[in-house]
Amino acid sequence: MDMATSEYWQRASSSASPSSRLEEGVSGRKTARKFSEKGRFWIILDVITVVGAAMFATFYKFHTGPVAEVKGFWHGTLIHGRSMSILLVLLCGFTTALIMTSRRLHLYTPMRLTSFLHEQRLSVQACLYSGLLLAGTLYLIHAEDISRSIVLMTVGLVTISLSLRRLAYRMLIYRRFERGVGTRNVLIVGTGPEAHALRHHLESIRHLGYSFKGFIDLPGSGSRFTASSGDVVGTFDSLFQNARKQFVDEIFFTTPCERGVVQDVLDQARIHGVDLRMVPDMYDGLAWNSPIEYIGQFPTIPLHCGHVPEIGLLLKRAMDIVLASLTLLILSPVLLIIAIAVKLDSHGPVFYTSERIGKKGRVFRCIKFRTMVRDAEKRRADVMHMNERDGVLFKITNDPRITKLGRILRKYSLDELPQFFNALRGDMSIVGPRPPLASEVREYKLSHLRRLDVMPGITGLWQVQARQDPSFDNYISLDVTYVDNWSIWLDLHILIRTVAVVLAGTGS
């Protein structure tokens, strides 16, 4: 950074108004609340882990210890009210200390921001700190009737359990990142050395879960470095249009801009639901009270971080796995009968697979029972004039390419049963917008891409509310309404309505 630029930022920092400082402080507090919401689920798991470890240690001691010691522990601790109360208070104190220490060590922040070894070291450190506090409390109150072996076993089991749980979760996340699932798309504003360094950092450390989508050129930045034309995807004026096209989750600022420009971008980021980060040295004074987060070893300051309902998404994924598994298990005889019937009804494969566009533009192969003749795709041009839908949708009620068995399967949506394999694999959800074809997405406007912000579903709001409506606008409107108002209760409501729609045989 040259001297003139440095002087400019010093003046900008010193001239910041009290109102801007207040706004920036509020931004920092919003970020802190975000992390507390993200860590809530892990806190609950930590409590369950401590209680489970304490119960296991107690019963293990009861069944394996000397008879006299077991009787003393049983009568002195578990029966006498005072000893039992002390034990419960100590257990609550240990749990509280573990949670507070874990928060202090940032163990409830996104795991992708730290390395595996660092996270494991912090986990052991949090358990040891809490265990030492528990042991010191036992010594000070002279609780001789409380078994020290149970205390040590509880602390040891908690340490091992938390470390293994975080290891298993991290391995699961890494596998998803390798498949391109759950990664966060990134645009980098600037083409200078900091931008190139950040890009190299994000691409070289895969466990961070970031996917680089391009540079945004900032005219007049005075950078002596440039990016190749293929890497620059747009200019600053079209920042959020490119963010929408690339399904961007976060924007990184690596080059200095005027304070007012960055404030405008921050306002737009809040409107569009895009997270905004910056290299801290670039914007002295812009984000007082905002914490520094390390993306690997790269320090950044989050200016805006949108709310992600992690617990709700986790419950949704759990519901997908459970319902998909039960459906495939219970209906396996039906699936076998349909497969045989499809094979006997007409020439061709049992299953029809097609490339569909999933969350954030990810391509996957959607599976259905074949309901059309073998050369249906080749004959599509011959029936295009019969299309009954508007916009980019294509649907014919009495499509001549549909087989006799196919009409029955479509009527009761039985052809979509194999999509539960897609839901089990994680390509689809049970409830969500219909997965579109690539040819349809190419015709989308920017506002239509909003429906691709979530996982596509086997059933959805459009299927249960306007399945026969030919309007493309209503189709998009219902999907966007689902995205904007999603909740577990909405999914359950759609599932209940889906049963009625399927039994009514409204498919075509």
Side-chain angles (χ1 to χ4, degrees), residues 276-318:
L276 189 62
R277 294 179 181 272
M278 64 181 183
V279 178
D281 289 344
M282 296 295 178
Y283 303 100
D284 258 356
L286 182 66
W288 284 292
N289 297 328
S290 293
I292 291 181
E293 290 181 7
Y294 281 85
I295 308 300
Q297 302 300 318
F298 214 101
T300 66
I301 291 180
L303 292 182
H304 173 259
C305 294
H307 171 66
V308 179
E310 290 195 344
I311 296 179
L313 292 176
L314 187 62
L315 291 175
K316 180 179 176 69
R317 179 60 186 149

Side-chain angles (χ1 to χ4, degrees), residues 113-183:
L113 300 182
T114 59
S115 68
F116 158 69
L117 292 178
H118 183 65
E119 183 183 52
Q120 290 295 308
R121 181 180 66 81
L122 292 181
S123 296
V124 174
Q125 186 177 338
C127 293
L128 290 181
Y129 282 171
S130 305
L132 287 174
L133 182 62
L134 175 60
T137 305
L138 286 172
Y139 176 78
L140 291 176
I141 65 176
H142 303 289
E144 302 294 340
D145 51 349
I146 296 177
S147 174
R148 299 303 190 266
S149 60
I150 290 181
V151 173
L152 292 175
M153 188 180 298
T154 299
V155 175
L157 288 174
V158 169
T159 303
I160 295 172
S161 299
L162 294 186
S163 298
L164 290 178
R165 189 192 75 201
R166 290 191 169 104
L167 172 62
Y169 180 71
R170 186 177 284 267
M171 293 300 103
L172 176 64
I173 292 297
Y174 285 178
R175 289 186 60 185
R176 287 169 58 85
F177 286 168
E178 290 175 359
R179 294 171 48 207
V181 178
T183 56

Side-chain angles (χ1 to χ4, degrees), residues 280-382:
D281 289 344
M282 296 295 178
Y283 303 100
D284 258 356
L286 182 66
W288 284 292
N289 297 328
S290 293
I292 291 181
E293 290 181 7
Y294 281 85
I295 308 300
Q297 302 300 318
F298 214 101
T300 66
I301 291 180
L303 292 182
H304 173 259
C305 294
H307 171 66
V308 179
E310 290 195 344
I311 296 179
L313 292 176
L314 187 62
L315 291 175
K316 180 179 176 69
R317 179 60 186 149
M319 185 173 70
D320 287 342
I321 294 174
V322 171
L323 291 181
S325 300
L326 289 176
T327 301
L328 292 172
L329 181 64
I330 295 172
L331 297 182
S332 55
V334 177
L335 292 171
L336 180 60
I337 293 172
I338 294 176
I340 296 173
V342 170
K343 195 65 179 178
L344 296 176
D345 180 63
S346 61
H347 294 290
V350 172
F351 298 105
Y352 168 73
T353 60
S354 64
E355 288 191 347
R356 298 298 178 104
I357 308 300
K359 184 177 180 180
K360 297 182 183 178
R362 181 172 174 265
V363 179
F364 71 97
R365 299 195 70 81
C366 182
I367 312 171
K368 300 173 67 175
F369 280 121
R370 182 176 57 84
T371 59
M372 290 187 173
V373 294
R374 191 171 188 174
D375 59 344
E377 289 297 328
K378 296 179 180 179
R379 295 169 54 183
R380 179 175 176 134
D382 299 334

Side-chain angles (χ1 to χ4, degrees), residues 277-493:
R277 294 179 181 272
M278 64 181 183
V279 178
D281 289 344
M282 296 295 178
Y283 303 100
D284 258 356
L286 182 66
W288 284 292
N289 297 328
S290 293
I292 291 181
E293 290 181 7
Y294 281 85
I295 308 300
Q297 302 300 318
F298 214 101
T300 66
I301 291 180
L303 292 182
H304 173 259
C305 294
H307 171 66
V308 179
E310 290 195 344
I311 296 179
L313 292 176
L314 187 62
L315 291 175
K316 180 179 176 69
R317 179 60 186 149
M319 185 173 70
D320 287 342
I321 294 174
V322 171
L323 291 181
S325 300
L326 289 176
T327 301
L328 292 172
L329 181 64
I330 295 172
L331 297 182
S332 55
V334 177
L335 292 171
L336 180 60
I337 293 172
I338 294 176
I340 296 173
V342 170
K343 195 65 179 178
L344 296 176
D345 180 63
S346 61
H347 294 290
V350 172
F351 298 105
Y352 168 73
T353 60
S354 64
E355 288 191 347
R356 298 298 178 104
I357 308 300
K359 184 177 180 180
K360 297 182 183 178
R362 181 172 174 265
V363 179
F364 71 97
R365 299 195 70 81
C366 182
I367 312 171
K368 300 173 67 175
F369 280 121
R370 182 176 57 84
T371 59
M372 290 187 173
V373 294
R374 191 171 188 174
D375 59 344
E377 289 297 328
K378 296 179 180 179
R379 295 169 54 183
R380 179 175 176 134
D382 299 334
V383 296
M384 282 295 294
H385 65 282
M386 301 172 63
N387 185 23
E388 300 172 357
R389 300 290 170 90
D390 63 3
V392 302
L393 298 179
F394 180 80
K395 188 76 172 180
I396 304 173
T397 303
N398 297 312
D399 195 322
R401 301 173 298 164
I402 300 177
T403 63
K404 293 180 180 180
L405 177 63
R407 296 190 185 280
I408 299 175
L409 297 180
R410 288 191 170 208
K411 181 178 178 64
Y412 295 101
S413 301
L414 296 175
D415 60 316
E416 298 180 359
L417 287 179
Q419 291 179 11
F420 283 99
F421 287 108
N422 288 118
L424 198 60
R425 190 173 184 271
D427 294 326
M428 296 177 61
S429 177
I430 292 180
V431 181
R434 186 186 71 87
L437 296 166
S439 59
E440 296 175 353
V441 175
R442 281 192 290 268
E443 301 295 327
Y444 279 7
K445 299 178 181 178
L446 280 178
S447 58
H448 298 162
L449 295 175
R450 179 83 173 109
R451 68 186 302 274
L452 298 180
D453 284 344
V454 299
M455 198 80 74
I458 301 173
T459 184
L461 192 60
W462 173 77
Q463 286 93 328
V464 301
Q465 189 163 321
R467 191 172 188 175
Q468 302 302 326
D469 189 341
S471 172
F472 176 69
D473 290 336
N474 289 343
Y475 165 77
I476 291 293
S477 176
L478 287 172
D479 284 343
V480 172
T481 298
Y482 172 81
V483 173
D484 291 338
N485 298 279
W486 173 82
S487 69
I488 289 293
W489 303 115
L490 178 59
D491 278 4
L492 293 175
H493 178 71

